[in-house]
Amino acid sequence: MALPKLKLIFTLFFLQAFLTSSTSIQAAPANSDLFREYIGAEFNNVKFSDVPINPNVEFHFLLSFAIDYDPSGSSPTNGKFNVFWDSDNLSPSQVSSIKNLHSNVKVGLSLGGDSVNSGSAYFKPSSIDSWVSNAVSSLTSIIQQYNLDGIDIDYEHFSADPATFSECIGKLITTLKNNGVISFASIAPFDDDQVQSHYMALWKNYGHLIDYVNFQFYAYDQGTTVSQFINYFKTQSSNYNGGKVLASFISDGSGGLSPENGFFTACHRLKSEQQLHGIFVWSADDSKKIGFRYEKQSQALLATPH
């Protein structure tokens, strides 16, 4: 009688192992009509209403940035966030107005960014619990004041190890989602060893809570070709396995694959392979002077039937 029981145990063991390995390799999401744009970091008076919005896409504005530094931008504040975007032109009433005018628009805020007050903006928590407590409190206040929908994580400099970053950001997203304060969360890594070590630790532990990966493909060299872009995209889709990795360009053309040099060719190729999970742009501030031509082209591409 012992042998069938042993067989059953082995069968169950292998079945569990198979299911575990199958679910750990998440299915890649299909094409999406998501368009996202960072706005407000450069204080050049750009408004939501300046940006063309195609009614046939899902459109996210990302206010840039909220930073846990004191209002002068000189000292980190351990999770007590302040508004550092152009709040005169991108105010709570203007958020409400653009969302009322366009039912397909959501507005989020991005945390961190590259710099503050002409110096680097560092992620510098005193401890995990104190940072999370302060961040939940201060961000809930800002999000509710501005009637926002989600957050984006764009820290690029770190005074804490990857495990600490993972726990702080992971617990922040968990709490804000559980409290019904946000409906989406994204991350904005780029191809730098320190940056990737922090964001991939976060992805490993909390990737199931992260809705989009705004990978900064424009941080690659300015002369990036279409085939290189596709290879970079596949590499980062593997790093952020199962994530909705978005294609991206910088509107001043200073890095990566530019719209003039084949960005939309690459997007059409990804779309034909069911891998175009959306497009994001840095930034509306820079696009204003060229009439948002590439925002229009991006949204037209995303709005066409899959």
Side-chain angles (χ1 to χ4, degrees):
M1 294 297 290
L3 194 58
K5 193 171 181 181
L6 197 59
K7 276 186 179 175
L8 179 64
I9 289 168
F10 276 117
T11 303
L12 288 170
F13 174 78
F14 284 117
L15 183 63
Q16 183 183 19
F18 173 76
L19 288 171
T20 302
S21 66
S22 299
T23 52
S24 67
I25 303 170
Q26 301 174 51
N31 288 334
S32 162
D33 60 5
L34 176 63
F35 179 78
R36 318 186 87 203
E37 179 129 46
Y38 290 89
I39 189 168
E42 294 172 26
F43 288 80
N44 66 352
N45 300 318
V46 67
K47 298 179 173 67
F48 298 123
S49 55
D50 293 334
V51 184
I53 296 167
N54 187 315
N56 299 311
V57 301
E58 181 181 356
F59 195 113
H60 293 180
F61 284 109
L62 296 170
L63 292 163
S64 311
F65 292 94
I67 313 174
D68 53 332
Y69 270 63
D70 66 72
S72 71
S74 56
S75 302
T77 52
N78 189 40
K80 294 177 182 175
F81 282 86
N82 286 298
V83 168
F84 282 87
W85 66 78
D86 182 1
S87 56
D88 288 344
N89 289 293
L90 303 164
S91 65
S93 64
Q94 285 154 327
V95 171
S96 296
S97 176
I98 201 70
K99 288 169 72 172
N100 288 335
L101 280 170
H102 301 277
S103 60
N104 59 321
V105 167
K106 293 180 179 176
V107 184
L109 57 75
S110 188
L111 307 184
D114 175 50
S115 62
V116 59
N117 192 24
S118 74
S120 295
Y122 277 88
F123 174 74
K124 192 172 183 178
S126 300
S127 68
I128 293 171
D129 288 347
S130 64
W131 189 92
V132 171
S133 176
N134 288 339
V136 167
S137 174
S138 59
L139 287 172
T140 297
S141 176
I142 295 169
I143 289 164
Q144 291 177 343
Q145 179 191 357
Y146 278 81
N147 186 27
L148 304 179
D149 302 287
I151 63 171
D152 174 65
I153 311 300
D154 189 22
Y155 282 104
E156 303 186 2
H157 307 281
F158 306 91
S159 295
D161 63 20
T164 301
F165 178 72
S166 171
E167 285 309 296
C168 284
I169 301 300
K171 287 180 175 180
L172 171 65
I173 294 170
T174 300
T175 306
L176 292 178
K177 282 196 167 186
N178 287 346
N179 290 351
V181 176
I182 60 171
S183 60
F184 65 76
S186 58
I187 57 174
F190 58 95
D191 191 29
D192 169 90
D193 288 346
Q194 188 188 38
V195 169
Q196 290 280 64
S197 69
H198 284 75
Y199 282 94
M200 288 172 70
L202 172 62
W203 183 259
K204 180 182 175 185
N205 294 320
Y206 292 97
H208 59 287
L209 292 171
I210 295 166
D211 302 283
Y212 315 107
V213 180
N214 281 13
F215 199 87
Q216 298 182 46
F217 290 103
Y218 45 82
Y220 288 105
D221 290 343
Q222 188 174 7
T224 298
T225 65
V226 170
S227 59
Q228 284 175 322
F229 183 94
I230 297 291
N231 287 335
Y232 295 151
F233 183 89
K234 291 185 175 176
T235 297
Q236 301 311 331
S237 295
S238 174
N239 284 336
Y240 298 93
N241 181 32
K244 292 179 181 174
V245 177
L246 275 62
S248 62
F249 66 88
I250 187 166
S251 43
D252 68 3
S254 61
L257 177 60
S258 69
E260 296 95 329
N261 293 332
F263 175 78
F264 293 112
T265 301
C267 286
H268 279 291
R269 190 176 300 176
L270 291 174
K271 192 167 187 176
S272 72
E273 297 172 4
Q274 292 292 310
Q275 291 182 49
L276 185 61
H277 315 311
I279 294 171
F280 81 89
V281 181
W282 179 274
S283 64
D285 308 53
D286 289 324
S287 294
K288 184 180 178 182
K289 59 181 170 283
I290 55 170
F292 301 100
R293 70 179 75 142
Y294 299 125
E295 280 77 357
K296 294 172 190 172
Q297 194 171 345
S298 297
Q299 292 175 75
L301 188 160
L302 292 167
T304 54
H306 298 154

